[in-house]
Amino acid sequence: MGDSAAGSPTPAVTSFGYFLSCEDHGPAQLVEQARMAEQAGFTSLWISDHYHPWNTTQGHSPFVWSVIGALAEATSLPVQTAVTCPTVRIHPAVVAQAAATSAVLLGEGRFRLGVGTGEALNEHVLGDRWPPAAVRLEMLEEAVRLIRTLCTGRETTHHGRHYTVENARLFDVPEGGVPIDVAGFGPAAVELAGRIGDGFVTVEPDEDAVARFRRAGGGQNPVRGGMKVSYDTDRDRAAKAVLDRWPNMFLPGELAQVLPSPAHFEQASRLVTEQHVTESGIPLGDDPEEHVRALLAYRDAGFDAVHVNQIGPDLQGFFDFYRSKVLPQLAA
């Protein structure tokens, strides 16, 4: 967990990875994208963990742990879930087993578990009550403690406020356990990440959040971010792809956490216009300078790594574009 070192210096080197979207692609497509990402020069992988897509246009939601098993054989890149909710839909004891097995398969230093408080969209599917935000944070803190203990390989009995485990032991665990990074957006979640996380995960180049994480106990632990882009040779077509596939990104407040189904997100997303997309700052089209500027904002905010997700359909064009025109500038 984090130390109490002060300050939020810009990392000497920010690495650039690829973000695999389980909402937007089937399992075989995700594995192929991982191969393409490694060939293009990306240095790590994020992968989302969903039961549902945000809308039916996205149209996918494979079981992330099966995909990670395939990634272990398909590439040599490090992999992180971004993020798993280990509190409602899946008991933390089961998440611990999945994470430990993934870490063993991927090999030393190649797996990190990213966790967060989740969304009703994915977590209410068994009919469980969807708790308020403060309770979700409390559940996450207990779940992380339990996962850490189980990933040591010790037999564990735990009778907590939210979870019970009796005589549980994982027999296949990685040496040194599984690093757990915590996602956060609001102040309470960011401070929780600082207190209990081995790192911090977020999707905005928010320098204030990075500083809050470090002050709360994160110290010099790594900060990793995610960013969406829409590469296309036609800027208008790139914007339309965002509006068609990811309008949920522009919904305000807590809607992303409380709406229960893709149909509800589709209804709310009717309020989103192309102007929201074009004024959002998401890189659109094939101007390498626009993509580079957006990525360097994360570096300047103190991030250790940024993971890029391509929204548009031209994946081969995107990977060629980043390999030849974007990643070389970032390396320079």
Side-chain angles (χ1 to χ4, degrees):
M1 293 189 291
D3 59 38
S4 58
S8 55
T10 299
V13 177
T14 301
S15 64
F16 300 94
Y18 188 70
F19 193 165
L20 298 165
S21 171
C22 283
E23 305 95 306
D24 227 358
H25 302 281
Q29 294 171 305
L30 293 167
V31 173
E32 180 57 28
Q33 285 175 40
R35 293 193 186 99
M36 296 167 75
E38 185 168 23
Q39 292 165 4
F42 290 100
T43 58
S44 58
L45 298 169
W46 263 13
I47 185 165
S48 56
D49 179 2
H50 269 237
Y51 195 89
H52 292 137
W54 298 100
N55 55 60
T56 53
T57 302
Q58 293 171 0
H60 293 279
S61 196
F63 189 53
V64 69
W65 302 106
S66 300
V67 180
I68 289 172
L71 295 176
E73 293 297 312
T75 85
S76 64
L77 298 181
V79 178
Q80 179 170 34
T81 55
V83 293
T84 291
C85 178
T87 61
V88 178
R89 170 172 49 102
I90 304 181
H91 192 284
V94 179
V95 173
Q97 185 183 28
T101 299
S102 297
V104 169
L105 279 173
L106 282 155
E108 184 176 356
R110 284 186 59 206
F111 180 75
R112 298 181 76 92
L113 177 64
V115 297
T117 56
E119 306 91 13
L121 174 72
N122 301 302
E123 305 306 321
H124 85 292
V125 295
L126 302 181
D128 297 280
R129 170 179 174 263
W130 184 237
V135 177
R136 299 201 303 270
L137 287 168
E138 185 180 90
M139 294 172 73
L140 181 63
E141 184 167 4
E142 184 178 338
V144 168
R145 288 200 306 268
L146 184 53
I147 292 167
R148 286 192 198 283
T149 301
L150 286 164
C151 284
T152 65
R154 299 195 301 267
E155 183 174 307
T156 300
T157 294
H158 171 89
H159 296 279
R161 181 167 185 177
H162 299 287
Y163 305 107
T164 297
V165 170
E166 294 186 349
N167 309 115
R169 179 184 171 191
L170 299 180
F171 282 81
D172 291 287
V173 297
E175 186 175 348
V178 175
I180 302 176
D181 296 345
V182 178
F185 302 101
V190 174
E191 290 173 5
L192 178 66
R195 291 198 308 273
I196 71 171
D198 295 308
F200 175 45
V201 170
T202 190
V203 292
E204 297 285 345
D206 187 340
E207 187 175 2
D208 291 338
V210 173
R212 183 183 292 272
F213 163 74
R214 300 202 184 285
R215 288 195 306 269
Q220 300 309 304
N221 284 342
V223 175
R224 294 176 169 85
M227 184 183 88
K228 293 194 178 297
V229 307
S230 186
Y231 164 82
D232 198 294
T233 54
D234 181 277
R235 186 179 177 85
D236 291 338
R237 196 162 56 212
K240 186 176 186 304
V242 177
L243 187 62
D244 289 346
R245 303 190 75 83
W246 284 88
N248 54 285
M249 290 191 297
F250 305 99
L251 297 179
E254 295 183 69
L255 289 179
Q257 282 72 52
V258 300
L259 294 180
S261 75
H264 290 98
F265 278 94
E266 289 168 356
Q267 292 165 18
S269 294
R270 291 172 191 160
L271 301 173
V272 178
T273 67
E274 191 164 325
Q275 185 176 1
H276 287 108
V277 176
T278 57
E279 295 180 355
S280 67
I282 293 174
L284 303 170
D286 61 351
D287 177 1
E289 299 299 330
E290 183 177 355
H291 290 252
V292 168
R293 280 195 304 272
L295 287 162
L296 291 182
Y298 286 82
R299 182 204 63 182
D300 295 343
F303 281 68
D304 298 87
V306 192
H307 295 80
V308 184
N309 176 240
Q310 159 69 349
I311 291 176
D314 186 2
L315 285 159
Q316 185 63 64
F318 163 83
F319 284 117
D320 289 344
F321 172 66
Y322 264 69
R323 175 184 52 78
S324 62
K325 296 184 178 180
V326 177
L327 294 178
Q329 288 196 54
L330 295 167

